[in-house]
Amino acid sequence: GIQVEQSPPDLILQEGANSTLRCNFSDSVNNLQWFHQNPWGQLINLFYIPSGTKQNGRLSATTVATERYSLLYISSSQTTDSGVYFCAVPNTGGFKTIFGAGTRLFVKA
Amino acid sequence: GAGVSQSPSNKVTEKGKDVELRCDPISGHTALYWYRQSLGQGLEFLIYFQGNSAPDKSGLPSDRFSAERTGGSVSTLTIQRTQQEDSAVYLCASTSEYEQYFGPGTRLTVT
């Protein structure tokens, strides 16, 4: 099945800093989502982005489907951005969703 | 409307007991997923329902796990003869075409 790798696994930022999180996947996909899991465990949709670029406030995401990666940009980070960021794609030929292991972000005040 | 809801939010059970976890998806969403998340880990796919099609059960870890979705809406995940390794957060998501929306999860602790 498809493999999903996220990097970095852990990231510590000073409030106000910018960061880029990466998601690599091993096969073609027609669906990719980024999620933020807050410290209370709730998973929140950030982007549905099978290709192209989207922006939502301080966050933006770009997926280059032909090169099998997606990037999540966080600008002017805030302490509330802390948590784990996951990307998720459908398994090859099916509906089973494969999540990456996540990037754990901590933003210091 | 309301988001995905799950109940109970927390469940503590003794090893060997059966448990039922419930998921109420967003109204109108035809697809529903169950996942398991162990402490500090990523999400592990368990089962997928789409409309009246046969569910994709390929992620269920053993035959002690089963799930059903009645009337294309509410879903229950049942774990029989619980084991300590079943302790985890069980998450449900419903899908609008492609985007998955998650409930708050049920934290299961098997003692």
Side-chain angles (χ1 to χ4, degrees), chain A residues 12-24:
Chain A
I12 300 174
L13 296 176
Q14 190 65 48
E15 197 170 28
N18 303 328
S19 64
T20 301
L21 282 57
R22 187 176 180 105
C23 173
N24 291 337

Side-chain angles (χ1 to χ4, degrees), chain B residues 42-54:
Chain B
L43 276 73
E44 175 189 5
F45 167 85
L46 296 178
I47 189 168
Y48 167 77
F49 294 92
Q50 169 63 58
N52 294 322
S53 303

Side-chain angles (χ1 to χ4, degrees), chain B residues 32-43:
Chain B
L32 186 148
Y33 291 81
W34 282 98
Y35 296 91
R36 178 169 70 175
Q37 186 175 31
S38 300
L39 187 63
Q41 303 297 310
L43 276 73

Side-chain angles (χ1 to χ4, degrees), chain A residues 30-31 33 35 37 40-45 47-48 54 86 88 94-101 104, chain B residues 33 35 37 40-45 48 50 56 58-59 91 97-105 107:
Chain A
N30 59 7
N31 180 353
Q33 280 192 266
F35 296 91
Q37 188 168 39
W40 296 271
Q42 178 68 50
L43 275 152
I44 300 162
N45 289 36
F47 294 101
Y48 164 69
K54 290 185 178 179
F86 292 103
F95 295 99
K96 178 177 177 177
T97 302
I98 306 300
F99 279 72
R104 187 173 301 274
Chain B
Y33 291 81
Y35 296 91
Q37 186 175 31
Q41 303 297 310
L43 276 73
E44 175 189 5
F45 167 85
Y48 167 77
Q50 169 63 58
D56 178 348
S58 61
L91 291 154
E97 193 169 0
Y98 294 116
E99 296 186 62
Q100 295 186 39
Y101 295 87
F102 280 84
R107 183 175 300 277

Side-chain angles (χ1 to χ4, degrees), chain B residues 83-104:
Chain B
Q83 304 295 311
Q84 288 186 328
E85 60 263 29
D86 299 335
S87 295
V89 176
Y90 290 82
L91 291 154
C92 170
S94 70
T95 301
S96 166
E97 193 169 0
Y98 294 116
E99 296 186 62
Q100 295 186 39
Y101 295 87
F102 280 84

